[in-house]
Amino acid sequence: AFFLTIVLLIFSLDRRASVNRTDVTIRIAAFGLMLGSLATNLLDRLLFGGVLNFIHVGSLPVFNIAHIMLLVGELLLIYSLLKTPRS
């Protein structure tokens, strides 16, 4: 997940693209979600030996909040990159 975040960061720093204020805001939010979720997973693993932020609702599978936020951040960044026109 960390390497995917770095690769997406490199591709989002393309100076040739005309980036508007909305795209910049979306990218900042996306990287905030990705880096925050990576940091919480790392801290959980260092302090507790495993990830602790799981949710179990009824008969649904157990899922990790940090992984959901990582996925949302990546999807936001990909959306921002695809909608930005290239010159």
Side-chain angles (χ1 to χ4, degrees), residues 15-30:
R15 300 285 184 218
R16 294 173 295 166
S18 59
V19 180
N20 62 24
R21 189 174 181 93
T22 306
D23 288 337
V24 170
T25 304
I26 291 172
R27 290 179 189 183
I28 289 171

Side-chain angles (χ1 to χ4, degrees), residues 25-58:
T25 304
I26 291 172
R27 290 179 189 183
I28 289 171
F31 282 113
L33 287 170
M34 289 188 287
L35 293 176
S37 63
L38 291 171
T40 58
N41 272 347
L42 179 63
L43 283 174
D44 278 351
R45 290 183 193 279
L46 290 175
L47 296 176
F48 305 111
V51 179
L52 299 179
N53 57 355
F54 288 99
I55 290 182
H56 180 68
V57 179

Side-chain angles (χ1 to χ4, degrees), residues 57-79:
V57 179
S59 63
L60 296 174
V62 176
F63 60 92
N64 182 317
I65 298 169
H67 290 154
I68 299 296
M69 292 300 104
L70 182 64
L71 177 65
V72 168
E74 290 168 353
L75 292 175
L76 276 174
L77 185 60
I78 291 169
Y79 167 75

